[in-house]
Amino acid sequence: DTLWDLAIAEVEKRENPDDDVKPGEVWEKSVLFMGNKNGGKTTIILRCLEREESPKPTLALEYTFGRRARRHNTPKDVAHFWELGGGISLVELIRIPITSHNIRSFAVVLVLDLSKPNELWTTMESLLQVTRNHVNKILTKLEKTNPEVAAEIKQRMWNDLQRDHPDYALVDPFPIPLVIIGSKYDIFHEFDSEMRKIISKTLRFVSHYYGASLVFTSKSEALLLKARALINHLAFGYDKSKSVSVDPSKPLFIPAGLDSMSQIGPPPASDSDLGKMRANTPLELWKKVFEKTFPPKSFCDLQDTKDPAQDSQYAEYEVDVMRAQKNQ
C-alpha cells in the first residue's frame, strides 16, 4: 500500500469506528475533569490511576493517561484524562480536548467543592453551559457530515432514563456522559444540617435534571473508591455500580437515572417564598432558592492568578536566564 492508501484507510476507520470492540482491539476513552479551583480534581485523577504522588496545582489544561488490560494477555485499553485548571477563568480551553473525532467516547467529570457553597452554582452553571454549547456545535456539524453518529449520541443521552420513567418529560440530559463529584465531604459534614440538606437536595436535582451520576467524596479511601468506580466506568467501561445512597446524613451516591423528582421533593423553601419567585424553568427556580441561602460570590478568578512563569515548579534554568536578560 502507498502512504495515501494507508491515510485513506485510517480516515475511513476514524469516521466509521466500530463501537463493539473486537477481541484484541484497543478502545480509547477521554474524560475531562473540571470544577472549582483547588477542589481536588488532581487528587481524584491520581487515585483513579493508582499513582502515589502528591498533587501539584494545575496550570491551564493538563493531560495524562491510564492503561488497563481487560483480560490476561490482551492489549491494554487507554483512557485520556484532561484536567482544566483555574476554576471558570479558562473555560474556553475545553475546545481543545473535545473534538468531533472523539465526541463519541468523551465524558465529563465536574468536581464541585462542597466546602464553598457560595461558589457552587456559578462554577457549575458556567462550566456546564460552555461545555454544552461546544458539544452542541459539534453535534450540529456532525448532523451534516455523519448523521448516524449524531443520532447515536443523541439516543445515548437518554439511555440511563427508561421511557417509562416518570420524569422523562421533565429532564434535559447532558449531551455526553456526566458525573458530578462533590469533594471535601469531610468539611461539608461539619456544616449545619439545614445547610447540608439544601446543598444535597439541590445537587440531586441538578444531577437528575442533567442525567448525571452524583457522588460525594473526601480524602477517605472508602469514598474515593466510590468515585473511582464511576470514573472507571466512563474511562474503561467497567460495570456500573447499582448501589444508591440518598440519605442526607451520609455521603450521597446516585448513579445516573436512579433518582426521581418525587424522591428529591420540591425546592427547600417555604410555599410563600416559592410563590414570590419568578422562574421560567424548574432549574431556574432551584437556582433562586439555592442562591437565597448561599448568595454567589463575585468571581475575580482572572485577577488572582499568579504569573505561572514565576512558579518554582516550572523553573528551567536556561530559559529563566534568557528571560531575565530579556526583561532587563
Side-chain angles (χ1 to χ4, degrees), residues 28-33 41-53 55-56 58-68 77-85 96-97 102 106-107 231 235-236:
E28 289 187 39
K29 296 269 178 178
S30 303
V31 184
L32 170 66
F33 287 76
K41 300 182 288 294
T42 311
T43 308
I44 293 166
I45 293 175
L46 291 173
R47 285 301 300 125
C48 284
L49 298 173
E50 295 171 18
R51 286 193 198 151
E52 300 292 330
E53 51 191 87
K56 291 186 182 133
T58 300
L59 182 76
L61 186 68
E62 293 202 357
Y63 167 82
T64 184
F65 68 93
R67 298 170 69 199
R68 297 275 156 85
D77 295 328
V78 181
H80 306 280
F81 286 146
W82 295 86
E83 183 187 353
L84 178 70
I96 296 166
N102 63 13
F106 212 98
I231 294 164
F236 298 106

Side-chain angles (χ1 to χ4, degrees), residues 6 13-14 20 26 28 42 54 77 143 169 186 237 248 258 286:
L6 293 171
K13 198 171 93 186
R14 274 193 194 166
D20 310 306
V26 174
E28 289 187 39
T42 311
S54 49
D77 295 328
E143 275 171 349
D186 41 350
L258 297 183
W286 278 83

Side-chain angles (χ1 to χ4, degrees), residues 219-231:
K219 286 188 176 141
S220 108
E221 201 54 36
L223 289 184
L224 275 169
L225 276 173
K226 289 201 147 185
R228 208 173 119 187
L230 284 176
I231 294 164

Side-chain angles (χ1 to χ4, degrees), residues 35-44 55 110-117 119-120 181-191 196 199 203 215-220 223-224 227 251:
N36 292 79
K37 240 186 187 161
N38 307 322
K41 300 182 288 294
T42 311
T43 308
I44 293 166
L110 176 65
V111 181
L112 298 172
D113 187 337
L114 295 173
S115 68
K116 298 179 182 162
E119 293 178 16
L120 202 137
I181 296 181
S183 65
K184 305 198 182 170
Y185 177 77
D186 41 350
I187 303 174
F188 169 77
H189 193 55
E190 305 297 316
F191 284 9
R196 284 208 316 261
I199 297 169
L203 283 178
V215 58
F216 282 3
T217 178
S218 70
K219 286 188 176 141
S220 108
L223 289 184
L224 275 169

Side-chain angles (χ1 to χ4, degrees), residues 1 9 32 43 47 62 96 116 123 125 144-145 163 165 171 183 189 208 229 233 242 260 266 274 288 293 296 328:
D1 285 0
L32 170 66
T43 308
R47 285 301 300 125
E62 293 202 357
I96 296 166
K116 298 179 182 162
T123 302
E125 191 173 55
K144 295 184 183 116
T145 57
R163 273 194 183 279
H165 194 291
V171 296
S183 65
H189 193 55
H208 185 56
H233 168 69
K242 288 283 189 285
S260 68
L274 287 176
K288 288 189 169 170
T293 313
Q328 199 177 339

